[in-house]
Amino acid sequence: MTRVFALISLALGALLTTGAFIAVFFFVPIANGGELAQVANIGGEQVTHQLWFSQKIFYFHVPVAIASFAALALGAWHSIQYLRTKRPVCDLRARTAMEVGLIFIILTMISGDLWTRSDWNTWWNWDPRLTTYLILMLLVIAYFILRVQIESPERRARISAVFGIIAFANAALSMLIPRLMESMHPVVLSGSADSGLTPPMLAAFLTALFGMLFIGFGLYYLRSMQLELAERLALVQARYDEAQGS
Amino acid sequence: MKQFMTLLRKDLKIEFRTFDILSSMGIYAVLVLVVFGVAFMLGENSYDITPLASGLLWVLAVFTSLLGLNRSFNREREFSALEALLLSPLDRGVLFLSKVTANALFLSIVFVVAVPLFVFLFLQGGVQGNGVLAPSAPLVLAPLAVGILGIAGVGTLLATITLHTRGRDIMLALLFIPVIFPLLYSCVTASSMALLGISDSMVFLQTLGMGVGYDVIMILVGWMLYDFVLNG
């Protein structure tokens, strides 16, 4: 039953994101950039502004980035739950959420990199926003290295829960830096009424966002179920071996 | 408060008898300076490294303090001293705060020697050419103080976390540098403003305030979670 739930979430996510991407390329208008010196005629249309075709990556990059934060927040939440209740399943869920988070972080890095290559004409730049996000990725990788380095399962769960919380607090602090400092990275979702998105753009963006969140949740759900089953299997195996031995 | 003073006195007494941490950190700081010297001397003899100075200063600070933090818990491992400490009816938060204070003191002592040495070797128009510091240069002490406090706080917490991992020393470096990043960012920015001249004092204060905020949040988090790090 629960597996069906996870699969529905994944399928819904796939459907929404695919739909959003098709819409983005066929129906949503291209974003306008700076004004042109003279009106150009492209494909039978009068064009007065520079067109930003590369802006299309916004509908992938930003939802993936938001999904990565959601996954990390979920990981921190389960870490807190572990410290409160000491239930091993919380540790397992925290770890799964971090895994999903890492996947989305890597996707954000790749899509962001493609965009900086096309718009800033460079693969990498030590812009505050890029740097803080790179640090976030290193923190999550460090979380997994830390897990491998501790042998006792109880201590591993406890210590990595503490580090998960520290990492999340740190990520939140890091994200303040580009808001306070000067950054080249565009801020579209700043909370102000005029975000520059026309209604069709916003609709496509929100569809892609919800799709990504569903995919993330489906992945998290499937993976944590798999890990829980593996743990139960190991337990049964251990009991079986014990019975055989006696 | 009494517990805090007793613990702090214990750490300081051990240190001033052996000079274990201070001597190794001090020598290491000098060695980092030598590496800088070699890196900048091999070309022409007249680089002006003033624009890079605050970055170099913090490279020195981060690496030197990493070494000291690694050692600060080594002596608690010997003879199971930490277990004995934990047997006593002691508030874990107090233990954390006393360790942070001790580490901050050790770092300050080392930097009192290392920072003037750095200025003397690289920024006095002597060996490295004609770098001129802005009149606001002494203000660099403010980001240094904020940085030392944060490094000691985060470092103590992470040193305890990595105490029972397999590759202890390497793990501390792996965790420490990304976690310290927001502080490092604000301290490097603020120091660089101080060394090169502050054009907008609001921005300087804001950057410094970010570092102070980081210190407060991280020490608070450490104080709350220390119990879980030690024994849950």
Side-chain angles (χ1 to χ4, degrees):
Chain A
M1 189 58 210
T2 40
R3 199 174 70 201
V4 174
F5 186 55
L7 288 175
I8 289 176
S9 169
L10 264 183
L12 194 62
L15 209 68
L16 283 177
T17 38
T18 316
F21 291 157
I22 292 174
V24 159
F25 282 100
F26 290 102
F27 305 112
V28 176
I30 296 176
N32 280 339
E35 208 166 330
L36 290 179
Q38 56 182 42
V39 179
N41 192 314
I42 300 175
E45 285 201 47
Q46 300 288 313
V47 176
T48 55
H49 286 76
Q50 202 180 346
L51 297 176
W52 278 354
F53 194 74
S54 61
Q55 181 265 348
K56 301 268 184 221
I57 207 157
F58 164 80
Y59 303 101
F60 179 77
H61 179 68
V62 181
V64 168
I66 292 178
S68 77
F69 282 118
L72 291 188
L74 191 65
W77 192 75
H78 280 308
S79 296
I80 294 174
Q81 289 304 313
Y82 177 80
L83 290 183
R84 276 187 49 220
T85 62
K86 292 283 147 67
R87 284 170 56 214
V89 68
C90 292
D91 172 53
L92 198 141
R93 286 185 186 152
R95 178 193 146 192
T96 317
M98 294 295 255
E99 277 177 5
V100 175
L102 185 58
I103 296 174
F104 280 87
I105 287 174
I106 292 172
L107 287 176
T108 308
M109 288 297 263
I110 294 174
S111 57
D113 233 18
L114 293 175
W115 185 79
T116 49
R117 180 71 186 89
S118 123
D119 263 52
W120 295 350
N121 205 23
T122 173
W123 287 111
W124 183 255
N125 180 292
W126 292 105
D127 182 78
R129 179 78 74 105
L130 273 62
T131 314
T132 50
Y133 205 78
L134 175 70
I135 290 291
L136 182 62
M137 182 167 90
L138 293 175
L139 268 175
V140 177
I141 293 174
Y143 173 86
F144 288 108
I145 299 178
L146 179 67
R147 291 193 71 97
V148 176
Q149 296 278 335
I150 307 175
E151 269 152 44
S152 137
E154 189 274 334
R155 177 174 282 150
R156 185 197 306 137
R158 182 157 48 80
I159 297 284
S160 51
V162 170
F163 187 69
I165 296 169
I166 298 175
F168 184 71
N170 200 273
L173 284 172
S174 290
M175 289 307 127
L176 279 178
I177 292 179
R179 306 254 163 187
L180 293 175
M181 302 284 153
E182 229 167 89
S183 167
M184 294 200 291
H185 192 287
V187 179
V188 179
L189 308 170
S190 56
S192 67
D194 179 32
S195 61
L197 292 179
T198 57
M201 287 178 176
L202 193 63
F205 169 72
L206 287 178
T207 315
L209 175 62
F210 283 113
M212 266 324 155
L213 289 175
F214 273 120
I215 290 181
F217 189 72
L219 281 178
Y220 158 76
Y221 215 102
L222 268 184
R223 175 72 171 150
S224 56
M225 266 171 47
Q226 183 220 336
L227 288 177
E228 271 168 51
L229 278 178
E231 203 139 286
R232 263 171 57 195
L233 181 66
L235 210 72
V236 170
Q237 190 107 45
R239 265 193 219 148
Y240 174 76
D241 287 345
E242 208 175 301
Q244 289 289 87
S246 63
Chain B
M1 196 60 207
K2 206 174 152 201
Q3 288 181 336
F4 175 80
M5 287 312 290
T6 315
L7 285 169
L8 185 60
R9 205 174 304 132
K10 171 204 70 122
D11 273 345
L12 295 184
K13 201 181 261 175
I14 297 176
E15 181 53 37
F16 288 126
R17 280 193 188 152
T18 59
F19 285 102
D20 188 17
I21 297 175
L22 285 175
S23 59
S24 48
M25 262 209 288
I27 303 278
Y28 188 72
V30 174
L31 289 176
V32 174
L33 288 176
V34 170
V35 174
F36 287 167
V38 173
F40 288 107
M41 297 274 262
L42 283 181
E44 293 162 43
N45 244 0
S46 58
Y47 288 121
D48 176 13
I49 65 157
T50 321
L52 294 174
S54 95
L56 289 177
L57 189 63
W58 284 96
V59 170
L60 176 72
V62 167
F63 285 125
T64 310
S65 45
L66 253 180
L67 193 82
L69 292 167
N70 260 328
R71 298 205 62 96
S72 76
F73 273 88
N74 262 0
R75 71 166 62 118
E76 301 291 357
R77 275 171 66 88
E78 288 167 15
F79 316 118
S80 308
L82 191 60
E83 276 77 8
L85 261 184
L86 294 180
L87 280 177
S88 62
L90 180 72
D91 184 33
R92 311 297 189 233
V94 171
L95 179 59
F96 174 68
L97 292 181
S98 82
K99 272 282 175 198
V100 172
T101 316
N103 278 333
L105 277 177
F106 298 154
L107 288 175
S108 317
I109 293 173
V110 172
F111 287 169
V112 160
V113 182
V115 173
L117 201 60
F118 175 78
V119 174
F120 171 73
L121 287 175
F122 295 106
L123 296 176
Q124 276 306 300
V127 201
Q128 292 307 25
N130 43 14
V132 182
L133 292 180
S136 60
L139 279 178
V140 79
L141 289 178
L144 268 175
V146 172
I148 285 177
L149 193 60
I151 285 176
V154 171
T156 305
L157 182 61
L158 292 180
T160 323
I161 279 185
T162 52
L163 200 57
H164 294 287
T165 56
R166 256 180 277 137
R168 229 174 323 131
D169 303 358
I170 296 171
M171 265 329 282
L172 179 60
L174 271 182
L175 303 183
F176 178 70
I177 294 177
V179 172
I180 206 78
F181 176 79
L183 180 68
L184 193 62
Y185 192 90
S186 72
C187 283
V188 170
T189 315
S191 323
S192 145
M193 276 186 223
L195 291 179
L196 300 175
I198 299 171
S199 54
D200 186 347
S201 57
M202 263 319 284
V203 181
F204 178 73
L205 286 179
Q206 193 190 20
T207 329
L208 207 58
M210 210 165 75
V212 174
Y214 174 91
D215 283 5
V216 170
I217 290 175
M218 280 302 171
I219 289 180
L220 218 61
V221 167
W223 181 67
M224 286 192 303
L225 294 180
Y226 208 59
D227 195 19
F228 295 111
V229 176
L230 284 173
N231 50 8

